[in-house]
Amino acid sequence: MKKLLFFLSFCFASQSILAQGCCSGGSASPIAGGTSQGVLNEKQVEIATNFQYLSSNKFYAQDRDTTPMFRRLYSDYAYFRLAYGLSSKLTISLESGYYINRTVIWPEKNITRTSGIADIIIFPRYQVYYKCSEKKKTEFTLGLGYKIPIGSHDDSTIFYTDPTSGKNYYQTAPPTVQLTNGANDFIFYSFFFNSYLKKNFRVFANSIYVHKGWNSLGQKFGDYASISVFFGKTIFKRLGLTAQIKGEWVGRMKTDKLIDMVAYYNVYPASTGNRKVFIVPQISYSYKNLTVYALSEIPLYQYLNGSQVGSQYQFTSGISYKFSLKKKDIEK
């Protein structure tokens, strides 16, 4: 079950797509739930993927309900990871995500929809401390990731068609439906794991800080920080139950003072940034080197600057498979 808990330990690092405002939008964290945060064994390989569905039509002004500015925001997102243990202490992974669709339904049922690859992340992790006895296992891991934008951050949509000439006029779509924030970001990560072996019980935690860069439109989305505590128990040998409590913070967007963000890009900098608390129940099943899991993020508290779309429904399911390239392990 330890494999699964590592696999789930980024689950919110799950991508908070709703984190930067009702018409500002933008992803809080580029990492989707399910990335494995402990290190792998030397020459061990992990192949993993998960699917995330997100939907919301709830709007908030600070922590109060407010008038909706569009009918619904939803997305279907697939995430992929390939990780390799360079040594018993150092693991590196290559990760990416693909939006099957990212959609806003406006009043009068007008729809803005995009799809495509989002970002690529290079993510090395190093095990700083490890101790194991018959009763207890303790680990501490640090990570430093680098995100490279691949998808479009300046895609445009038709906002007016001249009835006489038939000419279309375009406007840059809001970040809410862009595939990426268009910036190179640094990801700082820590992971602490404590397992009570005889009781099949685990307590562990992680923290994430994403330092956002500037994109070509003169936008710097707010930095993202989260901290999570997990409590896990194995029952019936293969079934894992985990409860996660997560707090997250997103800073306000910074913009080029010479550019009118509202007129050109549908961005309201005052309506960016938030503070949220979630509870995340998770269930999993493990068989040999294969793990499948499902989880749902349930918001307990939300405080959003200005007027923004909030978190409402988010479901993630995934699968992970690990195998070794060591000759002795292959022969076994």
Side-chain angles (χ1 to χ4, degrees):
M1 245 359 272
K2 172 189 165 187
K3 293 179 181 179
L4 165 87
L5 293 172
F6 283 149
F7 188 73
L8 292 175
S9 63
F10 243 18
C11 286
F12 196 130
S14 292
Q15 189 173 30
S16 251
I17 298 170
L18 303 178
Q20 283 279 11
C22 64
C23 285
S24 299
S27 303
S29 171
I31 299 179
T35 49
S36 107
Q37 294 331 3
V39 296
L40 299 174
N41 295 325
E42 185 178 3
K43 293 187 178 180
Q44 187 178 29
V45 177
E46 180 189 28
I47 300 172
T49 184
N50 66 63
F51 173 80
Q52 182 185 94
Y53 171 77
L54 180 149
S55 175
S56 180
N57 60 6
K58 296 283 290 183
F59 284 75
Y60 295 90
Q62 299 179 348
D63 56 357
R64 305 180 302 274
D65 290 345
T66 191
T67 304
M69 298 184 69
F70 50 77
R71 299 184 64 173
R72 186 182 173 210
L73 167 69
Y74 68 94
S75 68
D76 298 302
Y77 183 74
Y79 198 77
F80 308 93
R81 181 178 70 260
L82 176 64
Y84 179 71
L86 296 172
S87 71
S88 60
K89 290 185 175 292
L90 180 62
T91 293
I92 188 166
S93 62
L94 184 66
E95 313 178 16
S96 186
Y98 183 90
Y99 280 103
I100 300 168
N101 78 77
R102 196 174 191 187
T103 303
V104 171
I105 303 176
W106 304 96
E108 307 300 328
K109 295 186 178 180
N110 293 324
I111 295 176
T112 302
R113 176 176 289 137
T114 56
S115 64
I117 191 170
D119 307 293
I120 289 178
I121 299 170
I122 302 170
F123 203 96
R125 302 183 298 278
Y126 184 78
Q127 186 183 80
V128 177
Y129 177 82
Y130 177 85
K131 185 177 181 180
C132 185
S133 65
E134 292 183 359
K135 296 182 178 180
K136 187 178 178 182
K137 178 182 289 187
T138 303
E139 298 181 43
F140 180 59
T141 297
L142 294 176
L144 175 62
Y146 186 65
K147 190 212 77 174
I148 304 168
I150 300 298
S152 172
H153 67 286
D154 57 359
D155 196 16
S156 59
T157 59
I158 298 172
F159 76 93
Y160 176 71
T161 300
D162 189 316
T164 303
S165 65
K167 183 179 179 180
N168 294 324
Y169 293 86
Y170 294 84
Q171 185 178 46
T172 302
T176 316
V177 290
Q178 300 289 357
L179 298 174
T180 175
N181 64 6
N184 294 311
D185 302 338
F186 286 95
I187 305 164
F188 302 91
Y189 171 77
S190 66
F191 174 72
F192 177 79
F193 179 83
N194 211 353
S195 176
Y196 301 90
L197 302 176
K198 292 186 176 181
K199 297 180 179 180
N200 282 328
F201 180 74
R202 294 151 298 276
V203 179
F204 55 107
N206 69 25
S207 64
I208 304 163
Y209 187 88
V210 182
H211 178 68
K212 305 291 184 69
W214 288 84
N215 65 21
S216 63
L217 304 181
Q219 302 165 340
K220 182 185 182 300
F221 287 86
D223 288 356
Y224 169 86
S226 76
I227 185 167
S228 295
V229 179
F230 303 77
F231 304 90
K233 176 72 175 178
T234 303
I235 59 175
F236 308 122
K237 295 184 179 181
R238 300 185 187 280
L239 188 66
L241 303 176
T242 303
Q244 173 189 0
I245 300 173
K246 180 186 65 180
E248 67 177 40
W249 166 87
V250 179
R252 288 182 183 270
M253 174 189 282
K254 296 180 181 179
T255 62
D256 190 320
K257 295 180 180 179
L258 300 178
I259 300 175
D260 187 337
M261 290 292 163
V262 177
Y264 285 96
Y265 304 123
N266 290 296
V267 172
Y268 296 81
S271 291
T272 61
N274 62 66
R275 302 189 298 272
K276 298 180 183 180
V277 178
F278 298 87
I279 185 169
V280 188
Q282 308 170 8
I283 188 170
S284 66
Y285 182 82
S286 293
Y287 178 74
K288 295 184 178 180
N289 294 329
L290 184 70
T291 296
V292 294
Y293 76 97
L295 62 97
S296 177
E297 283 199 4
I298 303 170
L300 299 180
Y301 173 77
Q302 303 184 62
Y303 184 99
L304 293 84
N305 299 326
S307 179
Q308 304 183 48
V309 62
S311 298
Q312 189 175 15
Y313 303 114
Q314 183 168 304
F315 304 97
T316 302
S317 60
I319 186 169
S320 169
Y321 181 72
K322 297 179 181 179
F323 59 93
S324 178
L325 296 181
K326 277 190 174 182
K327 186 176 180 180
K328 290 183 179 180
D329 293 337
I330 293 173
E331 289 174 351
K332 288 181 182 179

